[in-house]
């Protein structure tokens, strides 16, 4: 029973917050423009969160997101220039390459994946900033796609695919088994390293998509493109009640619900006219609250 | 009669709809050994867990040393002098041996001055030495030791507190002959010191040898208490099952029967420092037993054959298609199954359902294209769980809530589900009651007659003699002798080949 209730916390939080802001912002929250903004803002984080959920399911953290996003944008721009289709394809390719790089360092180099990710985060950011300092990377052509329907379409495709792969294929199921007991997974005849690598590739692909969306939104690439993506994604997933140590408790809905909570909170507080500095403080308090209630503590049971 | 130290009256424990223990009363006396026997899932571990403070009873009163006793936690019970050696692994990976030994006692230690790691290690060293375990390093990570060593570390920890009550839950079946004898010695010493001891075991001979009194349970209910001469395997078996069991439960025949076709060839296999130059052939429809002491390398040999350990030299080949079993993925793809000895760590996905555990190796079989239909998963798991008669509410029940023997059935069901042709089994009936054991033996016999080959390591000589077509013994990492199935093969003949 308590388990059931815990599962409901993120959903309940989302509903309550939605209603709260709907009634306390003189209708500003429910305007079409605001809701469209909300979706466009959430899209980038949500897409990346869907991929990251695969990595978290097998009990790893991916810290490369922001850096990898910036790196993919810059490298793709340097090769493709204003050629939009090529630019998009390259973004995906570089995203996947970044994912594979983390996997390689983690598996062959036997270092924790989050460290490999951090190395990409700094390297990617460094490259982006140094290139942006000398080059003006405008992507005016991309702006034509900057509308709600395109964002909704991409979001729908990514979320549905992510959901299906996560719950109804070997790729998703094995991530959860690995997160639950890697030794038993190996002894069940499952190639643990191969499936971990696939998770990083998926995460990389969603970083690539997130990178495309970022460029479409701002019509340019700057040194700070994709900044804080990893923190936002991890925050969103935690708000969505994801299992921090992965395994069978990991649910794809955490990515969707968590991102929505994150951005609705942001949006509503701003509409209240709260000073942006305080918005972050409220977010922090809210984060602490939900996570304390909904986090999966089963791994501590043994010690208690 | 000795003085009663603990009395648990009219104990009940319910888990949701499951009545694990109903109205059981038990008395423990100073210096007496009480045996607790019953089939898998009869509630033995649940009853002990309540005494040991793992969880409170649904109903029931306990009196300990003349006062009402309501432990709030395991630590609480330990502080009161009640030590519980669980059936499952009781050590926590990622911590050193010493840290494991003093887990949760830091506050007591700090009363004696500050807890320095150095002191912890020294104290652990002393306790280990007192228990004849000078080969264990307190600073080493606990997971670097074998299952048996970890159990002995736990035991040493429990003893260091001079317990008033010591509960030993199916520990001996996890141990080699040597470890078992050490436990018997411990029980003997503790008995002399006035400790009240509870032993849970499926080895009825052992129960008969050690116990002053035996309490029998069936389906969570008290059946009877046997004393003195009444304690014998026949009586206990009858009361446990509620009917008499005829004859022996091993294979009925004494022929060495298998086909000429060799299915698996192991050639000059060595793992540096563990075993060397092991060669043998496994035939179609053969049960090949491997016997030895726990440290002789036989457990590692099985893992190496399965592809989970990389050999230093030598080869393992499937004869039919000349495939080398170089990793577990190749092995499972080619229908080789492996049932590890360390069930909890190496074969179960604890926080998941019975269903998820059974289908884990069968996704390739049930997937349609890229996708796996939940209804197919359910169907396969349901079929297999029912076939092997797992005692459960339904297949969505969590595996960690099953009794030990039922967990083992799930592991076997997983490999039958994916239609394995070669079974590698490491102590397959460890911690399993005689009823289930009989079923597993029958199943092995059926598998054999379907042309499936079984490679089995066992620490129970009678199991090897009772089931195997051929028995190979191992000693200090080398094959020592080979025996063919026969009526005249005796336990002592085999033991003389392994020590
Ligand atoms: N935490 C739990 N939640 C739900 N059911 C449980 C839980 N623990 C035990 N049970 C159920 O209670 C019953 C008794 O289990 P218990 O572990 O006490 O059996 P046991 O006699 O120790 O068996 P074994 O010999 O196999 O170890 C079983 O049906 C088991 O499935
Ligand atoms: Mg038990």
């Amino acid at each position: 029973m308590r388990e059931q209730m815990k599962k409901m916390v993120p959903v309940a939080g989302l509903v309550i917050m939605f209603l709260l802001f709907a009634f306390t912002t003189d209708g500003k929250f429910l305007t079409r423009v605001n809701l469209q903004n909300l979706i466009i803002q959430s899209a980038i984080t949500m897409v990346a969160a869907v991929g990251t959920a695969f990595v978290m399911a097998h009990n790893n953290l991916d810290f490369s997101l922001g850096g990898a996003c910036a790196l993919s944008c810059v490298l793709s721009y340097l090769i493709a220039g204003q050629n939009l289709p090529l630019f998009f394809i390259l973004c995906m390719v570089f995203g996947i390459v970044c994912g594979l790089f983390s996997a390689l360092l983690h598996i062959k180099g036997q270092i924790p994946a989050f460290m490999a990710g951090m190395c990409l985060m700094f390297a990617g950011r460094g490259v982006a900033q140094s290139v942006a300092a000398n080059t003006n990377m405008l992507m005016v052509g991309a702006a034509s796609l900057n509308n709600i329907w395109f964002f909704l379409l991409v979001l729908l495709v990514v979320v549905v695919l992510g959901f299906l792969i996560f719950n109804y294929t070997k790729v998703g199921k094995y991530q959860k088994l690995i997160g639950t007991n890697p030794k038993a997974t190996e002894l069940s005849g499952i190639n643990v390293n191969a499936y971990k690598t696939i998770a990083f590739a998926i995460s990389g692909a969603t970083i690539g998509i997130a990178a495309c969306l970022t460029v479409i939104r701002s019509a340019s690439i700057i040194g700070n493109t994709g900044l804080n993506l990893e923190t936002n994604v991890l925050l969103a997933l935690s708000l969505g009640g994801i299992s921090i140590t992965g395994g069978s408790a990991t649910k794809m809905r955490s990515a969707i619900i968590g991102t929505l909570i994150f951005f609705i909170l942001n949006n509503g507080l701003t509409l209240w006219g709260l000073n942006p500095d305080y918005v972050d403080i409220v977010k922090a308090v809210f984060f602490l609250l939900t996570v304390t209630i909904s986090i999966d503590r089963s791994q501590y049971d043994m010690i208690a | 009669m000795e003085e009663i130290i603990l009395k648990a009256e009219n104990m009940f424990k319910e888990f949701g709809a499951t009545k694990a223990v109903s109205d059981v009363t038990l008395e423990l006396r100073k210096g007496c050994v009480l045996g607790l026997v019953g089939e898998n899932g009869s509630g033995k571990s649940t009853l002990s867990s309540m005494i040991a403070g793992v969880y409170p009873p649904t109903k029931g009163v306990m009196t300990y040393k003349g006062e009402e006793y309501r432990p709030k936690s395991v630590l609480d019970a330990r502080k009161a002098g009640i030590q519980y050696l669980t059936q499952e692994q009781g050590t926590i990976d990622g911590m050193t041996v010493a840290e494991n030994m003093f887990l949760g006692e830091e506050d007591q230690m700090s009363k004696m001055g500050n807890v320095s790691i150095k002191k912890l290690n020294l104290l652990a060293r002393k306790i280990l030495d007192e228990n004849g375990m000078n080969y264990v390093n307190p600073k080493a990570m606990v997971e670097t030791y074998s299952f048996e060593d970890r159990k002995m570390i736990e035991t040493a920890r429990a003893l260091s507190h001079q317990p008033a009550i010591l509960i030993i839950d199916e520990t001996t079946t996890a141990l080699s002959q040597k470890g078992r004898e050490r436990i018997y010695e411990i029980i003997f010493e503790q008995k002399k010191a006035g400790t009240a001891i509870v032993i849970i075991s499926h080895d009825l001979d052992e129960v008969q040898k050690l116990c002053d009194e035996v309490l029998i349970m069936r389906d969570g209910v008290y059946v009877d208490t046997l004393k003195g001469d009444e304690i014998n395997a026949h009586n206990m078996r009858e009361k446990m099952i509620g009917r008499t069991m005829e004859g022996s439960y091993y294979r009925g025949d004494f022929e060495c029967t298998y086909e000429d076709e060799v299915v698996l060839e192991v050639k000059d296999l060595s793992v540096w420092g563990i075993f060397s130059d092991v060669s043998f052939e496994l035939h179609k429809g053969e049960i090949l037993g491997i016997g030895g002491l726990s440290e002789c390398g036989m457990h590692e040999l099985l893992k190496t054959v399965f592809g989970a350990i990389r050999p230093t030299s030598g080869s393992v080949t499937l004869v039919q298609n000349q495939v080398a079993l170089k990793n577990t993925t190749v092995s499972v793809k080619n229908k080789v199954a492996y049932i590890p000895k360390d069930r909890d760590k190496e074969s179960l996905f604890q926080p998941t359902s019975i269903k998820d555990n059974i289908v884990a190796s069968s996704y390739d079989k049930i997937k349609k294209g890229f996708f796996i239909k939940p209804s197919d998963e359910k169907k396969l798991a349901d079929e297999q769980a029912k076939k092997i008669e797992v005692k459960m509410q339904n297949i969505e029940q969590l595996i960690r809530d099953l009794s030990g023997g039922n967990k083992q059935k799930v592991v076997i069901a997983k490999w039958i589900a994916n239609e394995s042709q070669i079974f590698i089994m490491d102590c397959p009936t460890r911690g399993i009651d005689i009823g289930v054991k009989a079923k597993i033996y029958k199943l092995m016999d059926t598998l054999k007659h379907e042309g499936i080959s079984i490679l089995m390591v066992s620490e129970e000589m009678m199991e090897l003699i009772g089931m195997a077509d051929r028995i190979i013994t191992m000693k200090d990492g080398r094959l020592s002798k080979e025996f063919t199935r026969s009526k005249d093969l005796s336990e002592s003949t085999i033991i003389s080949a392994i020590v």
Side-chain angles (χ1 to χ4, degrees):
Chain A
M1 256 331 272
R2 247 177 70 210
E3 288 301 309
Q4 292 290 330
M5 278 175 46
K6 266 194 207 167
K7 276 187 206 155
M8 295 309 295
V9 169
V11 185
L14 179 62
V15 173
I16 292 172
M17 213 157 33
F18 191 90
L19 293 176
L20 177 72
F21 289 130
F23 287 110
T24 55
T25 52
D26 303 330
K28 274 186 265 171
F29 180 73
L30 284 182
T31 57
R32 208 170 124 195
V33 178
N34 189 51
L35 289 181
Q36 282 188 4
N37 260 333
L38 198 63
I39 291 170
I40 291 182
Q41 279 171 358
S42 329
I44 297 171
T45 307
M46 200 184 288
V47 163
V50 166
T52 307
F54 283 86
V55 173
M56 283 188 83
H58 77 235
N59 196 9
N60 260 320
L61 288 178
D62 193 344
F63 270 107
S64 71
L65 270 53
C69 172
L71 188 66
S72 316
C73 288
V74 170
L75 293 180
S76 305
Y77 178 85
L78 291 179
I79 298 172
Q82 299 294 334
N83 181 345
L84 264 191
L86 182 62
F87 175 82
F88 288 152
I89 292 170
L90 283 177
C91 267
M92 296 276 294
V93 171
F94 283 122
I96 293 174
V97 169
C98 284
L100 293 178
F101 178 75
S102 293
L104 185 79
L105 279 187
H106 168 52
I107 292 164
K108 292 276 177 238
Q110 306 210 331
I111 61 171
F114 77 91
M115 288 186 183
M118 286 216 239
C119 138
L120 261 179
M121 170 172 101
F122 291 121
R125 183 64 55 214
V127 170
Q129 273 166 350
S130 59
V131 174
N134 306 316
T135 327
N136 203 351
M137 296 180 282
L138 276 182
M139 294 282 288
V140 194
S144 62
L145 288 171
N146 191 5
N147 67 68
I148 178 79
W149 299 113
F150 182 74
F151 274 73
L152 265 182
L153 180 74
V154 172
L155 205 52
L156 194 73
V157 170
V158 171
V159 167
V160 168
L161 268 182
F163 190 78
L164 287 178
I165 296 175
F166 196 76
N167 290 317
Y168 302 106
T169 71
K170 288 204 300 185
V171 171
K173 284 174 184 292
Y174 287 171
Q175 303 305 333
K176 288 177 261 184
L177 290 186
I178 297 170
T180 308
N181 185 345
K183 187 85 208 162
T185 312
E186 193 205 329
L187 291 176
S188 296
I190 294 157
N191 191 337
V192 171
N193 287 342
Y195 279 90
K196 276 187 174 176
T197 309
I198 293 176
F200 279 102
I202 292 177
S203 171
T206 56
I207 294 173
I209 298 174
C212 298
L213 294 182
T214 312
V215 172
I216 290 173
R217 241 190 103 196
S218 55
S220 69
I221 302 161
I222 53 170
N224 278 348
T225 295
L227 194 67
N228 291 340
L229 186 60
E230 63 286 324
T231 351
N232 289 351
V233 165
L234 290 179
L235 266 172
L237 285 168
S238 311
L239 287 173
I242 202 160
S243 153
I244 304 295
T245 50
S248 55
T250 320
K251 294 280 180 306
M252 187 47 84
R253 63 161 186 270
S254 302
I256 294 126
I257 295 171
T259 316
L260 287 177
I261 294 180
F262 184 78
F263 282 97
I264 289 180
L265 191 64
N266 227 348
N267 180 280
L269 291 176
T270 319
L271 288 179
W272 274 2
L274 204 65
N275 179 328
D277 294 336
Y278 295 145
V279 171
D280 281 345
I281 298 176
V282 176
K283 272 200 295 200
V285 172
F286 195 81
F287 174 75
L288 206 64
L289 217 75
T290 26
V291 171
T292 317
I293 301 173
S294 67
I295 196 172
D296 176 31
R297 289 192 182 76
S298 56
Q299 74 264 31
Y300 303 128
D301 280 359
M302 253 178 98
I303 304 173
Chain B
M1 271 283 189
E2 298 294 329
E3 180 194 335
I4 294 180
I5 182 158
L6 179 133
K7 194 166 176 171
E9 287 172 281
N10 309 103
M11 302 291 283
F12 286 81
K13 182 73 195 180
E14 285 160 20
F15 297 103
T18 313
K19 292 193 169 75
V21 172
S22 301
D23 202 12
V24 177
T25 297
L26 145 162
E27 285 172 359
L28 300 181
R29 291 167 196 278
K30 274 192 165 173
C32 281
V33 184
L34 175 76
L36 215 52
V37 302
E39 296 188 87
N40 289 132
S42 56
K44 306 176 298 288
S45 300
T46 308
L47 184 60
S48 320
S49 301
M50 293 189 281
I51 297 173
V54 178
Y55 34 61
T58 312
K59 223 162 78 189
V61 182
M62 292 188 273
T63 322
Y64 175 56
K65 293 185 175 163
E67 281 170 35
E68 188 173 346
Y69 164 67
R70 260 193 237 160
K72 284 193 276 302
S73 67
V74 175
L75 289 180
D76 223 23
R78 280 189 195 164
K79 272 182 203 151
I82 298 181
Q83 292 283 342
Y84 180 31
L85 295 175
T86 60
Q87 184 174 8
E88 322 297 345
Q89 186 190 324
T91 48
I92 299 176
D93 291 356
M95 297 172 106
T96 66
V97 171
E99 282 163 356
N100 258 292
M101 290 177 71
F102 298 106
L103 188 68
E105 284 158 29
E106 293 84 355
D107 51 335
Q108 264 158 298
M109 304 270 308
S110 51
K111 272 182 212 137
M112 313 176 345
N114 55 349
V115 219
S116 76
I117 303 220
K118 222 167 168 178
K119 259 189 211 157
L120 272 187
N121 286 338
L122 275 176
L123 200 53
R125 173 80 281 150
K126 193 169 140 253
I127 295 170
L128 289 167
D129 287 347
E130 281 167 6
N131 285 282
M133 299 174 68
N134 38 25
Y135 56 92
V136 174
N137 177 4
K139 290 178 217 156
M141 286 293 156
V142 75
E143 65 265 28
T144 55
Y145 291 98
S146 70
F147 187 80
E148 171 152 358
D149 285 337
R150 291 199 304 264
K151 264 291 159 209
M152 296 312 286
I153 291 168
E154 247 186 284
T155 312
R157 190 218 67 220
L159 292 178
S160 67
H161 294 267
Q162 269 107 31
I165 296 177
L166 177 65
I167 307 174
I168 305 178
D169 192 349
E170 255 163 54
T171 301
T172 51
T173 42
L175 303 181
S176 64
Q177 198 61 31
K178 209 172 94 200
R180 256 184 229 209
E181 264 150 33
R182 177 72 196 121
I183 293 267
Y184 298 159
E185 265 170 48
I186 290 171
I187 292 173
F188 194 68
E189 286 162 15
Q190 290 293 317
K191 194 175 142 104
K192 265 207 317 223
T195 312
I197 299 167
V198 178
I199 293 175
I200 300 177
S201 174
H202 290 296
D203 183 343
L204 298 181
D205 296 330
E206 176 180 288
V207 172
Q208 179 174 359
K209 199 165 84 188
L210 299 171
C211 298
D212 304 307
E213 246 183 17
V214 174
L215 190 152
I216 295 158
M217 296 178 68
R218 191 194 311 147
D219 291 332
V221 184
Y222 170 85
V223 178
D224 202 356
T225 305
L226 301 178
K227 293 192 177 111
D229 294 345
E230 299 164 352
I231 305 177
N232 61 52
H234 176 81
N235 275 352
M236 286 189 269
R237 206 172 292 159
E238 194 177 317
K239 305 246 164 174
M240 272 166 73
I241 315 181
R243 65 191 140 81
T244 40
M245 273 228 324
E246 295 298 327
S248 115
Y249 46 57
Y250 297 120
R251 266 166 74 180
D253 62 292
F254 276 98
E255 318 296 313
C256 168
T257 48
Y258 51 78
E259 293 171 35
D260 292 334
E261 184 187 339
V262 174
V263 289
L264 184 81
E265 190 178 32
V266 173
K267 225 171 168 175
D268 306 323
L269 203 63
S270 309
V271 170
W272 197 83
I274 311 236
F275 61 83
S276 43
D277 296 328
V278 173
S279 301
F280 60 84
E281 290 175 339
L282 179 67
H283 300 83
K284 189 166 183 199
E286 176 181 32
I287 300 179
L288 176 59
I290 297 180
L293 299 176
S294 197
E295 322 72 64
C296 74
M298 58 183 182
H299 303 299
E300 292 83 356
L301 172 65
L302 287 199
K303 275 206 171 113
T304 314
V305 171
F306 183 60
I309 296 179
R310 190 180 294 262
T312 344
S313 64
S315 64
V316 181
T317 320
L318 279 182
V319 175
Q320 193 194 16
N321 49 9
Q322 288 299 314
V323 167
L325 301 184
K326 60 181 194 302
N327 60 45
T328 59
T329 315
V330 174
S331 298
V332 174
K333 201 160 258 160
N334 287 284
K335 303 285 177 218
V336 179
Y338 172 61
I339 299 175
K341 180 179 177 194
D342 192 344
R343 185 169 57 219
D344 288 309
K345 256 183 94 177
E346 302 194 328
S347 55
L348 292 178
F349 300 100
Q350 295 280 11
T352 68
S353 65
I354 296 172
K355 179 187 78 188
D356 288 344
N357 275 274
I358 292 183
V359 297
S361 298
S362 301
Y363 288 126
D364 280 324
K365 181 176 139 188
I366 56 175
K367 71 173 188 194
K368 302 213 166 77
F370 194 52
F371 290 105
I372 297 156
K373 256 172 64 186
S375 60
D376 291 339
E377 281 180 273
K378 275 207 187 80
K379 199 167 134 245
L380 181 70
D382 212 39
E383 234 170 63
Q384 296 301 334
K386 293 218 167 101
K387 200 156 120 197
I388 203 163
E389 297 173 42
V390 178
K391 193 175 171 227
M392 58 177 183
Q393 287 162 0
N394 56 52
I395 51 167
E396 300 294 344
Q397 199 180 351
L398 295 186
I399 197 92
R400 62 169 172 225
D401 295 342
L402 291 185
S403 74
N406 282 298
K407 286 181 186 166
Q408 184 72 354
K409 286 198 217 165
V410 170
V411 177
I412 297 177
K414 161 169 122 182
W415 293 115
I416 296 183
N418 90 334
E419 293 162 11
S420 297
Q421 293 301 308
I422 296 177
F423 277 76
I424 301 175
M425 303 179 164
D426 199 347
C427 303
T429 61
R430 174 172 96 68
I432 286 187
D433 74 51
I434 45 172
V436 179
K437 237 179 179 169
K439 272 186 205 127
I440 290 185
Y441 292 145
K442 201 154 156 233
L443 185 77
M444 285 170 74
D445 202 30
T446 317
L447 292 175
K448 171 185 160 67
H449 283 105
E450 285 169 11
I452 286 169
S453 315
I454 299 173
L455 176 62
M456 165 177 76
V457 153
S458 177
E459 279 155 5
E460 276 179 59
M461 296 309 137
M462 283 319 289
E463 183 168 279
L464 291 174
I465 296 171
M467 294 308 297
D469 290 300
R470 279 188 303 147
I471 300 170
I472 303 179
T473 52
M474 264 180 98
K475 191 174 159 181
D476 302 329
R478 286 175 187 277
L479 298 190
S480 60
K481 270 210 169 109
E482 185 179 322
F483 303 90
T484 314
R485 183 171 188 80
S486 103
K487 237 192 184 93
D488 312 316
L489 206 53
S490 78
E491 227 173 322
S492 53
T493 323
I494 298 187
I495 289 178
S496 68
I498 64 180
V499 289

